[in-house]
């Protein structure tokens, strides 16, 4: 007879289990949601947080690195939320949907463009409507989705009507307020057939804050729809961010995802995409600006399911100080996904001797008529290029800044939105002023 010892939970895991037990009776949602919450926390009790023994967490030993679990942040009162909304510095003139400590404040939201509707998860539950659309499919090892399922009490539901072409981007503005706390938020988005839309999802924590965030965004892109999603994480130097972006693409749908990380102490951003429909196209562009003692892990799993689907992923990383970065990119091509064309590249610029970056591209192909490839490079600033600029009177720091901007230009300029490109270039200049 085999006897399996019960897992001894770490202090962080114990705190997480206790916090869940204290909150479950106060969280909204029907029977389906409650069952999902129970199942999520039971998995945590049984398996704990992942260690490097699990292949997908090999470079990020979450059980060791997440050494604490903070108290759950309360919903701010309307006065505090209004002050925070007034102080919020917009990147662009998007139609903003503000969320503070994981709670959506519809009263402080901008008017949505034609064809776009938005409401909170709490409002769905209060109206007694079916909330099953908020339940996402999780496998046994999906720890970020499990934590989010166990704790999210609010979120934003967005619907874009068929054929709509909103004149403004929709901004999902998530801010962490107050002392060091934990918050969870979930966004559920459905884009109708033939629609075109842009979303800007932004996560901000004060630089002095050790706030912890667990965020999940799930989007369904309808047949022939064209969506651009910009995901920006700007946590403080002591903040932890566990994020997950999930997408399903229908026939001839196109999704372009820009992921940009500018801060945080411990960051794990997962990208899970299914190109289900024939002719679906997924484009990923990523920029990771890592400094201090940050550990940032971007992990992607892309499933090509439909016939003739295409994808291209380009990741650019700039790493300095004692920061460590990770990109894991797995492309899986189903047996029926003939004529798939998938490309992936990860390029890294190391600016200090103590900085590190690990790249792990993977291809898993079951079809026999495909064109797939991947590559990764790690390098330093070219001494000849630096000397060329300095010999023409450019100061060293400015020369380094120009070379780094040139390294990133291909990614940022792919946005094709002048206002957003300008805002991000200012943000990049700010990062370099602090870390260059």
């Amino acid at each position: 007879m085999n006897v399996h010892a019960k897992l001894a939970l770490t202090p962080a895991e114990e705190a997480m289990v206790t916090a869940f037990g204290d909150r479950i009776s106060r969280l909204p949602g029907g029977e389906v949601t409650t069952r999902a919450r129970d199942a999520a926390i039971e998995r945590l009790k049984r398996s704990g947080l992942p260690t490097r023994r699990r292949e997908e967490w090999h470079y990020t030993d979450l059980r060791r690195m997440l050494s604490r679990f903070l108290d759950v942040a309360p919903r701010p009162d309307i006065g505090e939320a209004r002050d925070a909304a007034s102080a919020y510095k917009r990147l662009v003139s998007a139609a903003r949907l503000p969320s503070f400590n994981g709670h959506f404040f519809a009263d402080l939201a901008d008017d949505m463009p034609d064809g776009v509707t938005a409401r909170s998860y709490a409002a769905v539950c209060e109206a007694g409507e079916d909330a099953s659309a908020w339940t996402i499919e999780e496998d046994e090892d999906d720890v970020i989705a499990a934590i989010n399922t166990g704790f999210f009490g609010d979120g934003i539901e967005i619907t874009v009507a068929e054929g709509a072409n909103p004149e403004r981007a929709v901004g999902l503005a998530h801010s962490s307020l107050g002392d060091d706390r934990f918050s969870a938020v979930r966004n559920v988005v459905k884009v109708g057939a033939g629609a075109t839309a842009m979303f800007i999802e932004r996560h901000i924590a004060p630089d002095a804050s050790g706030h912890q965030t667990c965020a999940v965004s799930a989007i369904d892109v309808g047949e022939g729809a064209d969506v651009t999603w910009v995901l920006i994480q700007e946590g403080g130097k002591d903040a932890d961010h566990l994020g997950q972006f999930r997408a399903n693409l229908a026939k001839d749908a196109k999704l372009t995802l820009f992921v940009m990380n500018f801060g945080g102490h411990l960051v794990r951003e997962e990208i899970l995409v299914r190109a289900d429909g024939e002719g679906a196209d997924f484009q990923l562009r990523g920029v990771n600006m890592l400094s201090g003692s940050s550990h940032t892990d971007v992990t992607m799993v892309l499933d090509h399911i439909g016939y003739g689907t295409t994808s291209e992923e380009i990741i650019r990383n700039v790493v300095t100080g004692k920061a460590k970065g990770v990109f894991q990119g797995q492309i899986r091509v189903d047996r029926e996904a003939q004529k798939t064309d998938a490309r992936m590249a990860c390029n890294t610029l190391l600016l200090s001797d103590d900085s590190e970056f690990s790249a792990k591209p993977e291809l898993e192909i079951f079809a026999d008529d495909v064109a797939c490839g991947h590559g990764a490079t790690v390098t330093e600033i070219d001494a000849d290029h630096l000397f060329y600029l300095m010999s023409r009177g450019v100061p060293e720091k400015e020369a380094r800044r120009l070379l780094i901007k040139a390294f990133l230009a291909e990614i940022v300029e792919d946005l094709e939105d002048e206002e957003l490109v300008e805002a991000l270039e200012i943000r990049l200049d700010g990062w370099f002023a602090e870390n260059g």
Side-chain angles (χ1 to χ4, degrees):
M1 180 176 68
N2 293 326
V3 178
H4 297 281
K6 183 179 179 181
L7 177 70
L9 299 180
T10 66
E13 292 165 343
E14 287 279 10
M16 200 177 293
V17 170
T18 300
F20 174 79
D22 292 342
R23 282 173 53 82
I24 187 169
S25 62
R26 295 182 281 117
L27 292 173
E31 182 180 350
V32 173
T33 305
T34 300
R35 286 202 304 268
R37 295 188 195 276
D38 284 336
I41 211 67
E42 285 302 318
R43 292 204 304 276
L44 177 65
K45 290 180 182 179
R46 183 170 59 251
S47 304
L49 296 173
T51 70
R52 59 180 299 139
R53 292 181 180 179
R54 280 173 46 180
E55 183 62 28
E56 65 271 29
W57 290 87
H58 178 75
Y59 300 99
T60 303
D61 189 333
L62 191 63
R63 195 163 198 243
R64 177 182 61 82
M65 299 176 73
L66 195 68
S67 58
R68 60 177 182 161
F69 181 76
L70 301 173
D71 293 337
V72 178
R75 178 185 174 91
D77 62 42
I78 186 62
E80 185 181 5
R82 186 175 287 111
D83 290 345
S86 298
Y88 182 88
K89 296 181 179 179
R90 298 173 182 253
L91 276 180
V92 294
S93 56
R96 187 180 59 171
L97 298 168
S99 178
F100 302 106
N101 291 348
H103 297 274
F104 173 45
F105 282 77
D107 293 345
L108 303 178
D110 294 338
D111 292 335
M112 289 295 100
D114 291 342
V116 180
T117 58
R119 57 180 181 167
S120 71
Y121 171 71
V124 173
C125 295
E126 288 171 5
E129 297 181 28
D130 179 14
S132 59
W134 289 76
T135 303
I136 59 178
E137 294 184 8
E138 307 165 19
D139 62 35
E140 184 71 19
D141 297 328
D142 196 344
V143 66
I144 292 180
I147 294 172
N148 186 266
T149 293
F151 286 98
F152 88 94
D154 200 4
I156 306 174
E157 177 189 77
I158 303 173
T159 303
V160 181
E162 291 188 11
N165 185 11
E167 70 278 7
R168 297 173 69 191
V170 176
L172 295 88
H174 299 291
S175 301
S176 299
L177 306 180
D179 299 329
D180 299 354
R181 296 291 182 92
F182 169 87
S183 61
V185 66
R186 180 169 295 185
N187 305 306
V188 176
V189 180
K190 184 175 181 60
V191 179
T196 300
M198 172 182 279
F199 300 90
I200 301 174
E201 178 183 355
R202 193 177 179 201
H203 295 271
I204 300 176
D207 192 54
S209 168
H211 206 97
Q212 295 176 326
T213 304
C214 184
V216 172
S217 294
I219 179 171
D220 282 320
V221 185
E223 182 174 336
D226 188 343
V227 172
T228 299
W229 191 288
V230 182
L231 176 54
I232 304 172
Q233 187 278 131
E234 299 178 80
K237 67 180 185 301
D238 296 320
D240 298 329
H241 180 86
L242 301 177
Q244 191 177 88
F245 178 87
R246 310 167 68 99
N248 291 318
L249 310 185
K251 180 180 179 181
D252 294 327
K254 180 177 181 179
L255 171 64
T256 303
L257 173 65
F258 290 84
V259 176
M260 300 184 179
N261 286 299
F262 286 107
H265 176 255
L266 169 61
V267 178
R268 166 85 170 199
E269 189 67 57
E270 296 181 348
I271 302 164
L272 310 177
V273 177
R274 287 177 57 90
D276 280 315
E278 179 180 344
D281 177 67
F282 174 63
Q283 300 290 313
L284 171 64
R285 301 293 183 269
V287 172
N288 294 303
M289 307 297 291
L290 312 184
S291 61
S293 59
S294 172
H295 178 100
T296 298
D297 177 342
V298 177
T299 293
M300 181 200 77
V301 178
L302 168 60
D303 288 305
H304 283 268
I305 307 297
Y307 179 90
T309 52
T310 55
S311 68
E312 184 180 39
E313 297 79 42
I314 303 176
I315 307 295
R316 295 284 165 86
N317 314 290
V318 179
V319 193
T320 190
K322 296 182 178 180
K324 297 181 180 180
V326 178
F327 174 69
Q328 299 182 103
Q330 184 181 49
I331 297 175
R332 302 189 299 210
V333 182
D334 188 76
R335 189 179 304 277
E336 304 302 320
Q338 304 294 343
K339 300 297 182 181
T340 289
D341 190 337
R343 315 282 176 175
M344 179 167 54
C346 177
N347 310 112
T348 301
L349 197 58
L350 297 180
L351 302 184
S352 71
D353 293 338
D354 294 325
S355 58
E356 299 178 17
F357 200 91
S358 300
K360 183 188 175 188
E362 297 179 77
L363 295 175
E364 190 175 283
I365 303 172
F366 296 98
D368 56 13
D369 186 6
V370 301
C372 298
H374 63 69
T377 63
V378 178
T379 188
E380 303 173 348
I381 287 180
D382 190 294
D384 290 339
H385 294 168
L386 188 63
F387 175 77
Y388 176 85
L389 291 173
M390 293 174 63
S391 68
R392 280 152 180 79
V394 180
E396 181 179 358
K397 186 170 182 178
E398 177 64 10
R400 290 166 65 87
R401 185 186 72 84
L402 291 172
L403 292 172
I404 293 170
K405 287 191 73 172
F407 174 69
L408 300 172
E410 177 185 0
I411 305 297
V412 177
E413 292 173 0
D414 268 358
L415 278 165
E416 298 181 355
D417 183 303
E418 291 184 8
E419 183 184 17
L420 185 55
V421 169
E422 182 178 352
L424 290 174
E425 287 181 341
I426 292 172
R427 184 66 185 84
L428 290 169
D429 287 342
W431 183 92
F432 188 81
E434 295 178 6
N435 303 287

